[in-house]
Amino acid sequence: LTLEKTYKNGIEKSFLTNNLIPFAIDESGNFFCINQEEKVYYYAIDAWSDKLSNEENIKENCLLLADSFYTFLDNLTGKPKKK
């Protein structure tokens, strides 16, 4: 699936909100999303629970990674940080 189709599918099935736009998918099918304020979130779809409502799942499974896309990119590294 393309990211556009993934987004449309997520909106139709109510596991994505209009303000979360996926821009990358990890090997487990979880999303890296950006919102309208340019904040970056990790959205763990594989942690979805049928015992929770869609709104509760979205709240429980979204982790703020960075306050801006530029900060997110700046924090990407291919090498471990030295202690």
Side-chain angles (χ1 to χ4, degrees):
L1 286 175
T2 65
L3 286 173
E4 181 180 5
K5 287 181 182 178
T6 299
Y7 175 75
K8 287 180 180 179
N9 185 44
I11 296 298
E12 288 171 7
K13 294 186 177 184
S14 299
F15 65 81
L16 276 175
T17 62
N18 289 334
N19 69 334
L20 283 179
I21 302 167
F23 64 87
I25 302 171
D26 73 9
E27 66 277 353
S28 298
N30 300 305
F31 303 126
F32 291 89
C33 299
I34 191 165
N35 70 2
Q36 295 156 338
E37 298 168 350
E38 297 185 14
K39 293 183 179 185
V40 177
Y41 292 86
Y42 180 72
Y43 185 20
I45 295 295
D46 61 358
W48 194 270
S49 171
D50 292 334
K51 295 178 183 179
L52 299 175
S53 69
N54 288 355
E55 293 81 18
E56 291 169 323
N57 271 298
I58 292 167
K59 185 177 178 181
E60 289 289 322
N61 299 322
C62 280
L63 173 67
L64 177 65
L65 296 178
D67 286 326
S68 74
F69 189 70
Y70 295 109
T71 302
F72 173 75
L73 292 177
D74 285 343
N75 289 326
L76 294 177
T77 178
K79 299 178 184 177
K81 293 183 179 182
K82 294 181 182 179
K83 292 183 178 181

